[in-house]
Amino acid sequence: MKKLRIGIILGGMSSEREVSLNSGRNVHDNLDPELYGAVPIFMDAEGRLWVIPWQLISQNTTLDISDHLEGEARRIAYEDLKREIDFAFISLHGKYGDDGCIQGLLELLNIPYTGPGVLASALGMDKHLQQKVLMSEGIDVPRSMVVTAWDWRERREAVQKEILERFSFPFFTKPTREGSSVGVTRVDDPAGLAAGIDAALQWDNAALVEEYLDGIEFSAIVLEDDGEARVLELTEIYPQSAYYTYDDKYMPGRCRKFTPPKNIPRETADRIRESVLRAYHALGFRSYGRIDGFCLKDGRILITDPNSSSGMAPSSFFFEQAASAGLLPGMIISALIRNALAIHRDKKGPL
Ligand SMILES: Nc1ncnc2c1ncn2[C@@H]1O[C@H](COP(=O)(O)OP(=O)(O)O)[C@@H](O)[C@H]1O
Ligand SMILES: [Mg+2]
């Protein structure tokens, strides 16, 4: 039997391209060679696609890979992707990666792929719009206020005044569309306010100001199997910094994570899983997703960060929760591909 050619797309144009390399490398190394043929596809910083030899994914950074492209890799046009692969395992994160862009391209080429479709991916990326959708479905989200780059330029004083009236310290500022805690600031005093908004606006044209949530942070992987979405065991997060920063997320040995949770009672964990599942469906997610939030001291459950993709490094939430369900990395990757193929087979128009 001819093996299905799985294009593992990694790298990309976003601030999370190094995270993507880690994810893609791990997916590649755990792809079942009996069932699938791996085709590593590198997206460079300009969005061009290259079929790279597997040896290159062991390079440490996307820049190191880029140094080897001319000569060792094969540049392909977008439409040639159809000739190279039968299925796309999207290991990209962030802008152009899990925000609907690459999904749109794959739809046009009629190549099935992992994760949600165009609109759901875009919603998963946009923290402002996803809150509106979740609220309309009665799902609790943090209180927030959006500040556009125009607001900040043209009416800064009024905006600052409004923020100080509506939020007490500390509060959070973040870009509407980023990930991996890039551009996120915990603002502790008036002096930090402008720096927080400026930092967020470096990454997008709008910033979100959010009330501070004092509680336990959790992360939940949702996996669709045979048409039914189910939530894996939750992970409770204990950052070593003031919040869950980029270093906490990716530096080895830095952050404590408990799967199953240590301090969330079973009954609360069940309610969290219920909210997570509702959020998954409200946003139109398919295939899989990772939905993060907080459980507050008063028992309220808030959804803060629904993601249409998840980091897939060895000790990521994805593989930690899979392990808790008795699934080896190779098993869950195969299940993801099998289920995504079924989802794309049944769709009417773009996913
Ligand atoms: N409103 C908030 N209250 C408390 N902590 C927050 C809040 N917003 C973000 N954080 C902290 O910052 C981290 C990154 O923010 P998040 O909104 O999840 O952005 P990203 O998409 O970059 O992961 C979270 O994991 C959490 O630890
Ligand atoms: Mg997050």
Side-chain angles (χ1 to χ4, degrees), residues 216 233-234 236 260-273 295-297 299 301:
I216 302 178
E233 190 59 86
L234 301 181
E236 178 182 334
K262 258 191 190 172
N263 301 297
I264 303 176
R266 194 72 240 174
E267 174 275 327
T268 311
D270 287 344
R271 283 194 298 121
I272 291 176
R273 289 151 69 116
C295 149
L296 304 188
K297 293 204 173 89
I301 293 158

Side-chain angles (χ1 to χ4, degrees), residues 232-249:
L232 299 184
E233 190 59 86
L234 301 181
T235 301
E236 178 182 334
I237 303 165
Y238 270 84
Q240 301 299 296
S241 317
Y243 62 96
Y244 195 31
T245 60
Y246 187 93
D247 283 357
D248 273 302
K249 288 178 177 177

Side-chain angles (χ1 to χ4, degrees), residues 16 98 123-128 130-131 134 140-142 174-182 184 208 210 213 217-220 237 244 249-250 276 279 283 285 289-294 302-309 317:
E16 294 178 276
D98 60 18
L123 280 174
M125 190 72 199
D126 191 312
K127 291 189 169 70
H128 178 49
Q130 67 194 208
Q131 287 184 350
L134 294 175
D140 254 353
V141 297
K174 53 182 83 170
T176 44
R177 299 172 306 166
E178 265 302 325
S180 288
S181 303
V182 171
V184 174
L208 207 59
E210 247 178 46
L213 303 175
E217 188 169 1
F218 64 80
S219 184
I237 303 165
Y244 195 31
K249 288 178 177 177
Y250 306 117
V276 160
L283 294 167
F285 278 14
R290 199 191 82 225
I291 298 195
D292 304 339
F294 279 77
L302 279 83
I303 300 299
T304 56
D305 189 19
N307 299 283
S308 59
S309 81
F317 296 111

Side-chain angles (χ1 to χ4, degrees), residues 214-234:
D214 188 9
I216 302 178
E217 188 169 1
F218 64 80
S219 184
I221 298 289
V222 184
L223 206 62
E224 220 169 299
D225 193 16
D226 261 347
E228 195 176 338
R230 69 188 174 101
V231 188
L232 299 184
E233 190 59 86
L234 301 181

